[in-house]
Amino acid sequence: MPSLQSTLDDEGVADELAASQRSISIAEFFEKNKHMLGFDSGARGLVTAVKEAVDNALDAAEEAGHLPDIYIEIEEVGDYYRLVVEDNGPGITTEELPKVFGKLLYGSRFHKREQARGQQGIGISAAVLYSQLTSGKPAKITSRTQGGEAKYFELIIDTDSNEPEVSVDETTTWDRTHGTRIELEMEANMRARGQLRDYVKHTAVVNPHARIELREPNGEFKAERATDQLPAETEEIRPHPHGVELGTLLKMLEATDSYSVSGFLQGEFTRVGTKTATNVIAAFTDRHYGREMAWRTPATHEADIEAAVTEAVANKGQAATDEFAGRVADAIRDHDRLAHHELATLVEHAAVATTDETGTTFGDTVQEKAVAAAWTIVRDDRTADLYTLTDEATSTRKDDGVIESFAERLAAKFDGEGQVRDRLRRETLEEYVERAAAMTAEREDVSFGETARENVADALWSVARTVPDDPPNVAAVADDRDTASALLSAMSETDIIAPPTDCLSPITADLVRSGLEKEFDADFYASATRDAGVHGGDPFIVEAGIAYGGDLPAEGSVELLRFANRVPLVYQRGACATTDVLKGIGWRNYGLDQPGGSGMPNGPAVIMIHVASTNVPFTSESKDAIANIPAIEDEIELAVREAARELKSYLNKRRSMQQRQEKQDVLGSILPEMADKLATVTEREELKIDDSLARIMNNVLVERRIENSHVELVVENNSGTSASPELTEIVSAEPTSVSDGARVVEMDGEWFIKWSPEVGSDDDSVLQYELADESDYDLDVTGIESAKLTVNT
Ligand SMILES: Nc1ncnc2c1ncn2[C@@H]1O[C@H](COP(=O)(O)OP(=O)(O)OP(=O)(O)O)[C@@H](O)[C@H]1O
């Protein structure tokens, strides 16, 4: 077939192409790109549909303050699978229901800054779309709001218009008093049963307040409620100034009712009050207008100032002129440094005071002339000033002559056109320093490196003054990208307290731990919850947990559990920021095996990571993986490292205990033989092995000595630190004369005598009592690791 080009000229091709252009409906687009929404295969499609429906069910129930009660059923019906998900949420009104299920990009959460599982308003309608595309059947929905009648709908999505097409709309009966039931038929298979089970099981782990039941062709799974406590209610918040993008800022500037930037900042952002707004505006003004250099005032030139001001003032009479000039000179002397606008204010005050004193007026023109005359003298000494500033800011190794010529060159830069007020932006100042330094380095054949240049620019900028000009108003900022960009930079460089976290509902470290304990039989658990960070104006919190040892499989790499807003992430583990961060950590430092020193660590461990945010940045609409956002990655790393440090100290301790035990075992087998030999050779009584072993091993030794009715428990501390063991002696007769500090409790004919002595290093403690009758003895010692304890009773 001939190509378009071979049959048509350029214009013809363009016309032909123009004729074939048409807009594409959202539903049509997703129909062709199902994989983006997680519906790329029958196996995966089923998992995604369950996930979307269950996430919505949990969101809805929690939002209405109900403890979620969710029922999931998957059944094979002919060529298709039927999925039913029921919840006890608030139900959906008759007006809303068709749009919720029959229109893509329709939802209640997209514009809210509040933690929720749903974000985009695509999930459930995409499942409806997938079901109708593969089975040709409509979605069947029952919903009932509290006190209302149950409604039954059948609908499909019209992919051309992205609008619901309702075929059945009637009243029905339903045993739930409120909630929603959705029934979808779709082409599917159970090949992803593992992922489906994992999703439901892990959802139960991080949502202990939910009751979830799953029935599928090959079995059942039931997660009963572990707590009646709903997660803390979240509040909607405004964006935080840190991390907002320029496009978003421009949109907000256009939409706001505020006139001033200060009002805008305080009204549209969280954590901005008057003080923070003032700080942001100062930084903004510095960027927008630049700062004014404040020169060291010429202390010895008072006479010159008076003369210059006098000369600038004409026809005001000798006495008034002298008074005015004197006042200006005095005021200048009172300042250590002076910027142009400060000089103008000071001259204005002198003019008013002189008028009060002498009755002669000094108007704007006279004041301007006086300012110009005095300013010439104030800035006249700037080479010396720049010399001192540079000398202080650079290393002492720099030669005086070098600094002098640098200062001269830098001072000359301030002679340029338009430099009347010595007002300049930071970039210009840096450029001046750069050029003067480069020239000095070249001419004097010395080095004037990057750090020295930066230090000099910093020193000069820190003595320069923020100008008093009003910042541009909101409309002016919105109109100009550069100005808006300056405001954005000012917002991000100003210290602002972290956003409130009541919009987030982290699992909390304790529940992360108990979630892991509930799910995995391990020897050790650790968890960490970080403070909130900000990304794109949205706050986020990262939590991490580690389970180690026990029944966890020792072979192969550790298991990673990923969660975002309490939703388990099932697919695309390799594309997730959590995986990348985990791979980048040097796990050998924390006691886990890591072949080659990078990549997933090996060992009997489960690592769980939860990112909670008002807007989790996913890599795609299917919400399978968290994007590589540096601020979030840093927090993931810190959370994981925090938990990993606990793991490390646990493993170190365990290792040293193992070594100790091995040593003790070896000694335990050698010592009796040696003692036996020694006793034979010396013909003396055999040594007490336990005592010697305890001393060699620096153990705490506990011995019972009985003489008639008198019983002693001797605690001998051979270790280098003090010990606080708890001893419980259980006897079958009533003890008397029990030594101080003991608690005696009788239970069913047995007496429990409990001591908690504090025994210093190399010291001992003797605990005693009397027993009139014959008795059994049973001693229990706690508070000391078994490898560091020898009990000889
Ligand atoms: N079971 C339900 N009970 C009550 N309201 C529901 C239920 N399911 C969905 N909704 C409402 O319908 C809206 C659309 O749901 P949908 O799954 O399409 O998007 P979402 O959950 O907001 O976002 P996402 O696309 O990220 O999942 C939700 O925002 C919610 O307001």
Side-chain angles (χ1 to χ4, degrees), residues 636-667:
I636 294 175
E637 181 168 345
L638 290 167
V640 172
R641 283 189 190 273
E642 214 173 300
R645 274 198 295 278
E646 282 184 50
L647 173 66
K648 178 182 179 168
S649 62
Y650 163 76
L651 290 175
N652 281 348
K653 206 160 174 192
R654 199 179 71 161
R655 198 166 301 126
S656 83
M657 282 302 155
Q658 270 165 355
Q659 284 165 352
R660 214 186 150 85
Q661 194 60 53
E662 280 162 20
K663 188 173 160 191
Q664 207 153 307
D665 291 348
V666 172
L667 283 171

mmCIF file of all heavy atoms in Angstrom, residues 636-667:
data_model
loop_
_atom_site.group_PDB
_atom_site.id
_atom_site.type_symbol
_atom_site.label_atom_id
_atom_site.label_comp_id
_atom_site.label_asym_id
_atom_site.label_seq_id
_atom_site.Cartn_x
_atom_site.Cartn_y
_atom_site.Cartn_z
ATOM 1 N N ILE A 636 11.825 6.536 54.280
ATOM 2 C CA ILE A 636 11.723 5.071 54.298
ATOM 3 C C ILE A 636 13.033 4.509 54.853
ATOM 4 O O ILE A 636 13.052 3.651 55.732
ATOM 5 C CB ILE A 636 11.463 4.512 52.878
ATOM 6 C CG1 ILE A 636 10.087 4.948 52.374
ATOM 7 C CG2 ILE A 636 11.581 2.986 52.870
ATOM 8 C CD1 ILE A 636 9.778 4.537 50.935
ATOM 9 N N GLU A 637 14.130 5.068 54.342
ATOM 10 C CA GLU A 637 15.433 4.558 54.768
ATOM 11 C C GLU A 637 15.629 4.768 56.278
ATOM 12 O O GLU A 637 16.072 3.863 56.990
ATOM 13 C CB GLU A 637 16.545 5.259 53.979
ATOM 14 C CG GLU A 637 17.905 4.735 54.368
ATOM 15 C CD GLU A 637 19.019 5.165 53.446
ATOM 16 O OE1 GLU A 637 18.734 5.636 52.335
ATOM 17 O OE2 GLU A 637 20.181 5.032 53.864
ATOM 18 N N LEU A 638 15.270 5.964 56.756
ATOM 19 C CA LEU A 638 15.465 6.239 58.175
ATOM 20 C C LEU A 638 14.597 5.321 59.046
ATOM 21 O O LEU A 638 15.039 4.833 60.085
ATOM 22 C CB LEU A 638 15.156 7.716 58.472
ATOM 23 C CG LEU A 638 16.197 8.679 57.898
ATOM 24 C CD1 LEU A 638 15.691 10.121 57.937
ATOM 25 C CD2 LEU A 638 17.510 8.576 58.664
ATOM 26 N N ALA A 639 13.359 5.088 58.612
ATOM 27 C CA ALA A 639 12.464 4.217 59.387
ATOM 28 C C ALA A 639 13.014 2.790 59.424
ATOM 29 O O ALA A 639 13.074 2.165 60.489
ATOM 30 C CB ALA A 639 11.059 4.228 58.779
ATOM 31 N N VAL A 640 13.433 2.305 58.246
ATOM 32 C CA VAL A 640 13.949 0.938 58.197
ATOM 33 C C VAL A 640 15.230 0.824 59.031
ATOM 34 O O VAL A 640 15.409 -0.125 59.800
ATOM 35 C CB VAL A 640 14.213 0.499 56.733
ATOM 36 C CG1 VAL A 640 14.923 -0.837 56.682
ATOM 37 C CG2 VAL A 640 12.906 0.420 55.963
ATOM 38 N N ARG A 641 16.097 1.818 58.891
ATOM 39 C CA ARG A 641 17.346 1.761 59.668
ATOM 40 C C ARG A 641 17.081 1.783 61.171
ATOM 41 O O ARG A 641 17.784 1.160 61.949
ATOM 42 C CB ARG A 641 18.272 2.921 59.279
ATOM 43 C CG ARG A 641 18.988 2.693 57.959
ATOM 44 C CD ARG A 641 20.042 3.770 57.744
ATOM 45 N NE ARG A 641 20.595 3.750 56.420
ATOM 46 C CZ ARG A 641 21.635 2.989 56.057
ATOM 47 N NH1 ARG A 641 22.218 2.212 56.927
ATOM 48 N NH2 ARG A 641 22.078 3.037 54.814
ATOM 49 N N GLU A 642 16.053 2.559 61.563
ATOM 50 C CA GLU A 642 15.719 2.639 62.988
ATOM 51 C C GLU A 642 15.344 1.238 63.515
ATOM 52 O O GLU A 642 15.829 0.822 64.557
ATOM 53 C CB GLU A 642 14.537 3.597 63.160
ATOM 54 C CG GLU A 642 14.587 4.391 64.451
ATOM 55 C CD GLU A 642 13.480 5.431 64.485
ATOM 56 O OE1 GLU A 642 13.461 6.304 63.591
ATOM 57 O OE2 GLU A 642 12.638 5.360 65.393
ATOM 58 N N ALA A 643 14.498 0.550 62.770
ATOM 59 C CA ALA A 643 14.103 -0.801 63.195
ATOM 60 C C ALA A 643 15.290 -1.756 63.075
ATOM 61 O O ALA A 643 15.491 -2.636 63.926
ATOM 62 C CB ALA A 643 12.922 -1.288 62.358
ATOM 63 N N ALA A 644 16.112 -1.553 62.006
ATOM 64 C CA ALA A 644 17.245 -2.452 61.773
ATOM 65 C C ALA A 644 18.303 -2.333 62.881
ATOM 66 O O ALA A 644 18.975 -3.310 63.210
ATOM 67 C CB ALA A 644 17.873 -2.165 60.421
ATOM 68 N N ARG A 645 18.427 -1.136 63.464
ATOM 69 C CA ARG A 645 19.387 -0.978 64.561
ATOM 70 C C ARG A 645 19.001 -1.859 65.746
ATOM 71 O O ARG A 645 19.855 -2.444 66.407
ATOM 72 C CB ARG A 645 19.466 0.492 64.984
ATOM 73 C CG ARG A 645 20.464 1.282 64.152
ATOM 74 C CD ARG A 645 20.855 2.578 64.829
ATOM 75 N NE ARG A 645 19.724 3.485 64.934
ATOM 76 C CZ ARG A 645 19.312 4.271 63.947
ATOM 77 N NH1 ARG A 645 19.948 4.268 62.795
ATOM 78 N NH2 ARG A 645 18.299 5.078 64.108
ATOM 79 N N GLU A 646 17.700 -1.948 65.988
ATOM 80 C CA GLU A 646 17.244 -2.836 67.080
ATOM 81 C C GLU A 646 17.568 -4.287 66.754
ATOM 82 O O GLU A 646 17.972 -5.054 67.608
ATOM 83 C CB GLU A 646 15.733 -2.698 67.280
ATOM 84 C CG GLU A 646 15.330 -1.464 68.033
ATOM 85 C CD GLU A 646 13.828 -1.447 68.271
ATOM 86 O OE1 GLU A 646 13.289 -2.464 68.748
ATOM 87 O OE2 GLU A 646 13.200 -0.427 67.947
ATOM 88 N N LEU A 647 17.381 -4.629 65.465
ATOM 89 C CA LEU A 647 17.688 -5.994 65.033
ATOM 90 C C LEU A 647 19.172 -6.275 65.256
ATOM 91 O O LEU A 647 19.557 -7.333 65.754
ATOM 92 C CB LEU A 647 17.335 -6.172 63.550
ATOM 93 C CG LEU A 647 17.752 -7.492 62.915
ATOM 94 C CD1 LEU A 647 16.988 -8.661 63.523
ATOM 95 C CD2 LEU A 647 17.546 -7.480 61.397
ATOM 96 N N LYS A 648 20.001 -5.295 64.888
ATOM 97 C CA LYS A 648 21.448 -5.472 65.012
ATOM 98 C C LYS A 648 21.830 -5.743 66.474
ATOM 99 O O LYS A 648 22.589 -6.664 66.759
ATOM 100 C CB LYS A 648 22.147 -4.206 64.516
ATOM 101 C CG LYS A 648 23.634 -4.244 64.632
ATOM 102 C CD LYS A 648 24.213 -2.932 64.150
ATOM 103 C CE LYS A 648 25.712 -2.946 64.288
ATOM 104 N NZ LYS A 648 26.313 -1.837 63.578
ATOM 105 N N SER A 649 21.292 -4.950 67.403
ATOM 106 C CA SER A 649 21.716 -5.173 68.780
ATOM 107 C C SER A 649 21.170 -6.508 69.295
ATOM 108 O O SER A 649 21.842 -7.180 70.077
ATOM 109 C CB SER A 649 21.382 -3.990 69.690
ATOM 110 O OG SER A 649 20.028 -3.806 69.742
ATOM 111 N N TYR A 650 19.991 -6.891 68.809
ATOM 112 C CA TYR A 650 19.471 -8.206 69.203
ATOM 113 C C TYR A 650 20.396 -9.316 68.695
ATOM 114 O O TYR A 650 20.767 -10.236 69.431
ATOM 115 C CB TYR A 650 18.053 -8.399 68.648
ATOM 116 C CG TYR A 650 17.586 -9.832 68.635
ATOM 117 C CD1 TYR A 650 17.176 -10.463 69.808
ATOM 118 C CD2 TYR A 650 17.595 -10.581 67.454
ATOM 119 C CE1 TYR A 650 16.769 -11.783 69.800
ATOM 120 C CE2 TYR A 650 17.185 -11.894 67.442
ATOM 121 C CZ TYR A 650 16.777 -12.508 68.604
ATOM 122 O OH TYR A 650 16.388 -13.817 68.604
ATOM 123 N N LEU A 651 20.810 -9.200 67.403
ATOM 124 C CA LEU A 651 21.655 -10.249 66.817
ATOM 125 C C LEU A 651 23.036 -10.288 67.467
ATOM 126 O O LEU A 651 23.588 -11.364 67.717
ATOM 127 C CB LEU A 651 21.782 -10.050 65.306
ATOM 128 C CG LEU A 651 20.515 -10.327 64.496
ATOM 129 C CD1 LEU A 651 20.721 -9.978 63.036
ATOM 130 C CD2 LEU A 651 20.079 -11.781 64.637
ATOM 131 N N ASN A 652 23.580 -9.092 67.767
ATOM 132 C CA ASN A 652 24.893 -9.043 68.430
ATOM 133 C C ASN A 652 24.831 -9.745 69.778
ATOM 134 O O ASN A 652 25.707 -10.524 70.135
ATOM 135 C CB ASN A 652 25.320 -7.591 68.662
ATOM 136 C CG ASN A 652 25.868 -6.977 67.395
ATOM 137 O OD1 ASN A 652 26.129 -7.690 66.425
ATOM 138 N ND2 ASN A 652 26.002 -5.665 67.378
ATOM 139 N N LYS A 653 23.776 -9.421 70.510
ATOM 140 C CA LYS A 653 23.633 -9.989 71.839
ATOM 141 C C LYS A 653 23.477 -11.511 71.737
ATOM 142 O O LYS A 653 24.095 -12.258 72.494
ATOM 143 C CB LYS A 653 22.390 -9.388 72.472
ATOM 144 C CG LYS A 653 22.443 -9.381 73.948
ATOM 145 C CD LYS A 653 21.462 -8.370 74.452
ATOM 146 C CE LYS A 653 21.401 -8.475 75.961
ATOM 147 N NZ LYS A 653 20.310 -7.747 76.503
ATOM 148 N N ARG A 654 22.661 -11.907 70.766
ATOM 149 C CA ARG A 654 22.419 -13.334 70.601
ATOM 150 C C ARG A 654 23.719 -14.056 70.255
ATOM 151 O O ARG A 654 24.025 -15.116 70.780
ATOM 152 C CB ARG A 654 21.392 -13.554 69.493
ATOM 153 C CG ARG A 654 20.760 -14.917 69.557
ATOM 154 C CD ARG A 654 19.753 -15.111 68.499
ATOM 155 N NE ARG A 654 20.389 -15.232 67.191
ATOM 156 C CZ ARG A 654 19.795 -15.766 66.140
ATOM 157 N NH1 ARG A 654 18.553 -16.204 66.239
ATOM 158 N NH2 ARG A 654 20.420 -15.850 64.990
ATOM 159 N N ARG A 655 24.528 -13.406 69.390
ATOM 160 C CA ARG A 655 25.793 -14.014 68.998
ATOM 161 C C ARG A 655 26.710 -14.150 70.207
ATOM 162 O O ARG A 655 27.316 -15.189 70.445
ATOM 163 C CB ARG A 655 26.456 -13.162 67.913
ATOM 164 C CG ARG A 655 27.525 -13.910 67.149
ATOM 165 C CD ARG A 655 27.910 -13.146 65.887
ATOM 166 N NE ARG A 655 26.790 -12.928 65.011
ATOM 167 C CZ ARG A 655 26.419 -11.738 64.563
ATOM 168 N NH1 ARG A 655 27.075 -10.659 64.911
ATOM 169 N NH2 ARG A 655 25.384 -11.609 63.761
ATOM 170 N N SER A 656 26.822 -13.074 71.001
ATOM 171 C CA SER A 656 27.744 -13.156 72.123
ATOM 172 C C SER A 656 27.236 -14.174 73.161
ATOM 173 O O SER A 656 28.024 -14.865 73.803
ATOM 174 C CB SER A 656 28.016 -11.779 72.722
ATOM 175 O OG SER A 656 27.009 -11.428 73.605
ATOM 176 N N MET A 657 25.926 -14.286 73.305
ATOM 177 C CA MET A 657 25.367 -15.297 74.216
ATOM 178 C C MET A 657 25.688 -16.705 73.712
ATOM 179 O O MET A 657 26.017 -17.601 74.490
ATOM 180 C CB MET A 657 23.849 -15.151 74.318
ATOM 181 C CG MET A 657 23.430 -14.017 75.201
ATOM 182 S SD MET A 657 24.093 -14.218 76.850
ATOM 183 C CE MET A 657 24.108 -12.540 77.379
ATOM 184 N N GLN A 658 25.603 -16.862 72.371
ATOM 185 C CA GLN A 658 25.903 -18.179 71.800
ATOM 186 C C GLN A 658 27.352 -18.553 72.074
ATOM 187 O O GLN A 658 27.666 -19.675 72.490
ATOM 188 C CB GLN A 658 25.663 -18.173 70.290
ATOM 189 C CG GLN A 658 24.247 -18.564 69.928
ATOM 190 C CD GLN A 658 23.910 -18.218 68.497
ATOM 191 O OE1 GLN A 658 24.703 -17.592 67.793
ATOM 192 N NE2 GLN A 658 22.721 -18.606 68.068
ATOM 193 N N GLN A 659 28.253 -17.549 71.865
ATOM 194 C CA GLN A 659 29.680 -17.824 72.074
ATOM 195 C C GLN A 659 29.934 -18.194 73.529
ATOM 196 O O GLN A 659 30.677 -19.111 73.853
ATOM 197 C CB GLN A 659 30.504 -16.599 71.685
ATOM 198 C CG GLN A 659 30.619 -16.449 70.179
ATOM 199 C CD GLN A 659 31.109 -15.080 69.769
ATOM 200 O OE1 GLN A 659 31.239 -14.176 70.591
ATOM 201 N NE2 GLN A 659 31.361 -14.912 68.475
ATOM 202 N N ARG A 660 29.269 -17.455 74.413
ATOM 203 C CA ARG A 660 29.405 -17.703 75.837
ATOM 204 C C ARG A 660 28.948 -19.114 76.195
ATOM 205 O O ARG A 660 29.610 -19.833 76.938
ATOM 206 C CB ARG A 660 28.505 -16.692 76.530
ATOM 207 C CG ARG A 660 28.995 -16.197 77.818
ATOM 208 C CD ARG A 660 27.945 -15.323 78.436
ATOM 209 N NE ARG A 660 28.107 -15.445 79.857
ATOM 210 C CZ ARG A 660 28.975 -14.713 80.543
ATOM 211 N NH1 ARG A 660 29.687 -13.812 79.938
ATOM 212 N NH2 ARG A 660 29.124 -14.901 81.847
ATOM 213 N N GLN A 661 27.823 -19.476 75.626
ATOM 214 C CA GLN A 661 27.260 -20.793 75.907
ATOM 215 C C GLN A 661 28.195 -21.892 75.415
ATOM 216 O O GLN A 661 28.436 -22.876 76.104
ATOM 217 C CB GLN A 661 25.879 -20.910 75.208
ATOM 218 C CG GLN A 661 25.033 -22.078 75.679
ATOM 219 C CD GLN A 661 24.724 -22.010 77.182
ATOM 220 O OE1 GLN A 661 24.228 -20.996 77.656
ATOM 221 N NE2 GLN A 661 25.075 -23.060 77.925
ATOM 222 N N GLU A 662 28.780 -21.645 74.188
ATOM 223 C CA GLU A 662 29.705 -22.648 73.647
ATOM 224 C C GLU A 662 30.888 -22.838 74.583
ATOM 225 O O GLU A 662 31.298 -23.951 74.895
ATOM 226 C CB GLU A 662 30.208 -22.211 72.258
ATOM 227 C CG GLU A 662 29.195 -22.503 71.162
ATOM 228 C CD GLU A 662 29.472 -21.720 69.895
ATOM 229 O OE1 GLU A 662 30.610 -21.240 69.702
ATOM 230 O OE2 GLU A 662 28.515 -21.556 69.094
ATOM 231 N N LYS A 663 31.426 -21.690 75.064
ATOM 232 C CA LYS A 663 32.578 -21.745 75.958
ATOM 233 C C LYS A 663 32.211 -22.496 77.235
ATOM 234 O O LYS A 663 32.956 -23.362 77.719
ATOM 235 C CB LYS A 663 33.002 -20.311 76.282
ATOM 236 C CG LYS A 663 34.295 -20.183 77.037
ATOM 237 C CD LYS A 663 34.664 -18.713 77.123
ATOM 238 C CE LYS A 663 35.648 -18.460 78.230
ATOM 239 N NZ LYS A 663 35.828 -17.040 78.503
ATOM 240 N N GLN A 664 31.026 -22.159 77.732
ATOM 241 C CA GLN A 664 30.552 -22.778 78.957
ATOM 242 C C GLN A 664 30.379 -24.292 78.781
ATOM 243 O O GLN A 664 30.727 -25.067 79.658
ATOM 244 C CB GLN A 664 29.209 -22.151 79.325
ATOM 245 C CG GLN A 664 28.920 -22.188 80.796
ATOM 246 C CD GLN A 664 27.979 -21.043 81.187
ATOM 247 O OE1 GLN A 664 28.252 -19.905 80.890
ATOM 248 N NE2 GLN A 664 26.884 -21.366 81.836
ATOM 249 N N ASP A 665 29.883 -24.687 77.607
ATOM 250 C CA ASP A 665 29.690 -26.107 77.331
ATOM 251 C C ASP A 665 31.025 -26.842 77.316
ATOM 252 O O ASP A 665 31.153 -27.950 77.859
ATOM 253 C CB ASP A 665 28.976 -26.309 75.983
ATOM 254 C CG ASP A 665 27.532 -25.842 76.051
ATOM 255 O OD1 ASP A 665 27.044 -25.593 77.181
ATOM 256 O OD2 ASP A 665 26.908 -25.686 74.990
ATOM 257 N N VAL A 666 32.024 -26.198 76.681
ATOM 258 C CA VAL A 666 33.351 -26.828 76.611
ATOM 259 C C VAL A 666 33.911 -26.983 78.021
ATOM 260 O O VAL A 666 34.365 -28.071 78.432
ATOM 261 C CB VAL A 666 34.316 -25.986 75.734
ATOM 262 C CG1 VAL A 666 35.734 -26.517 75.818
ATOM 263 C CG2 VAL A 666 33.828 -25.969 74.302
ATOM 264 N N LEU A 667 33.848 -25.878 78.796
ATOM 265 C CA LEU A 667 34.370 -25.944 80.170
ATOM 266 C C LEU A 667 33.620 -26.985 80.989
ATOM 267 O O LEU A 667 34.209 -27.724 81.767
ATOM 268 C CB LEU A 667 34.220 -24.575 80.842
ATOM 269 C CG LEU A 667 35.249 -23.525 80.431
ATOM 270 C CD1 LEU A 667 34.852 -22.179 80.995
ATOM 271 C CD2 LEU A 667 36.630 -23.920 80.923
#
